[in-house]
Amino acid sequence: AQRVTQPEKLLSVFKGAPVELKCNYSYSGSPELFWYVQYSRQRLQLLLRHISRESIKGFTADLNKGETSFHLKKPFAQEEDSAMYYCALRWRAGNNRKLIWGLGTSLAVNP
Amino acid sequence: EAQVTQNPRYLITVTGKKLTVTCSQNMNHEYMSWYRQDPGLGLRQIYYSMNVEVTDKGDVPEGYKVSRKEKRNFPLILESPSPNQTSLYFCASSLLPGQPQHFGDGTRLSIL
């Protein structure tokens, strides 16, 4: 069955430290993966997707098919990065496509 | 401005009193979806709609109904709300299923 696992519920780092939010997926087909971010009291918004291979707000994420992972990384965390981060997998269900979500990781960046 | 609009933003009501949370998008998106967000449980999909008059159950559809009579609107209906439906609800839309979604601001429901 398709699954997205974010093993850390809460991640706390100091400002300027590197941060890695883990995401592992389970899917036998060709996956499409996304990271969404939700800042306090704001709506969920797309942060980045693996097919665009871009860096947004200093974050990057590389799809590792061998390890079935799509970890989100930033070399130097900032206080404004404190938010809830969700990893999502797009997969094909018959003729349809679906999105499934990880449970989220709350990132706290301390001064 | 492209947006997904939910109403109301907050609602406190009592068990059994029917309520509807509206969702409207102005992007001509085919796909719309309702989620609930609960602490420790993340986002769980309630219902989704691939197109007008096409709706399907998500992961937690019990106690909810939806309708998609027109492309822009996707209301969530709680016929007989119960306290376990107290949650934060998000509506989302995308041009096609599985594409990056635009989310509304959320509706916080409290069922007493």
Side-chain angles (χ1 to χ4, degrees):
Chain A
Q2 293 69 33
R3 187 179 297 161
V4 175
T5 304
Q6 293 180 248
E8 301 134 336
K9 273 193 165 182
L10 174 65
L11 189 61
S12 182
V13 301
F14 285 106
K15 176 182 172 182
V19 63
E20 180 180 69
L21 291 89
K22 292 186 169 55
C23 173
N24 290 92
Y25 67 91
S26 171
Y27 178 51
S28 58
S30 189
E32 286 186 62
L33 287 140
F34 307 86
W35 276 101
Y36 281 78
V37 61
Q38 185 180 28
Y39 300 103
S40 179
R41 293 191 177 86
Q42 293 188 29
R43 66 181 68 178
L44 270 154
Q45 52 188 297
L46 179 68
L47 181 61
L48 51 80
R49 53 193 303 188
H50 89 271
I51 60 172
S52 50
R53 299 184 65 81
E54 57 197 340
S55 173
I56 304 290
K57 299 182 180 182
F59 284 97
T60 59
D62 291 318
L63 177 61
N64 186 322
K65 290 188 177 181
E67 295 181 0
T68 59
S69 69
F70 188 56
H71 303 327
L72 184 68
K73 300 177 186 177
K74 186 169 182 176
F76 307 104
Q78 303 299 313
E79 288 180 67
E80 55 265 28
D81 296 328
S82 296
M84 194 75 182
Y85 291 82
Y86 290 94
C87 183
L89 164 72
R90 179 189 184 199
W91 60 285
R92 185 182 288 280
N95 291 328
N96 300 318
R97 290 192 183 273
K98 289 193 173 187
L99 262 181
I100 59 170
W101 299 82
L103 294 184
T105 298
S106 177
L107 174 64
V109 181
N110 305 300
Chain B
E1 180 189 347
Q3 58 186 5
V4 177
T5 304
Q6 296 177 226
N7 278 297
R9 292 291 311 279
Y10 305 92
L11 179 63
I12 301 174
T13 188
V14 296
T15 299
K17 187 177 179 183
K18 180 180 178 180
L19 67 92
T20 300
V21 185
T22 62
C23 175
S24 180
Q25 50 92 5
N26 62 359
M27 295 166 280
N28 203 36
H29 283 170
E30 301 284 337
Y31 183 83
M32 297 185 75
S33 182
W34 275 104
Y35 296 90
R36 59 179 290 174
Q37 185 181 37
D38 301 288
L41 297 175
L43 274 172
R44 294 180 293 170
Q45 190 177 50
I46 303 170
Y47 268 94
Y48 63 97
S49 169
M50 300 285 192
N51 210 328
V52 175
E53 302 292 4
V54 179
T55 62
D56 288 291
K57 295 178 180 178
D59 299 318
V60 287
E62 294 78 22
Y64 303 94
K65 285 173 58 177
V66 292
S67 71
R68 190 88 183 275
K69 291 186 170 60
E70 47 191 343
K71 188 183 273 192
R72 65 182 291 122
N73 295 321
F74 190 45
L76 179 70
I77 303 155
L78 286 73
E79 293 273 4
S80 183
S82 61
N84 64 10
Q85 293 177 297
T86 293
S87 186
L88 177 59
Y89 292 84
F90 286 98
C91 181
S93 74
S94 60
L95 186 58
L96 293 172
Q99 287 190 332
Q101 295 181 66
H102 296 256
F103 282 82
D105 287 331
T107 296
R108 189 168 289 281
L109 285 184
S110 293
I111 317 295
L112 305 177

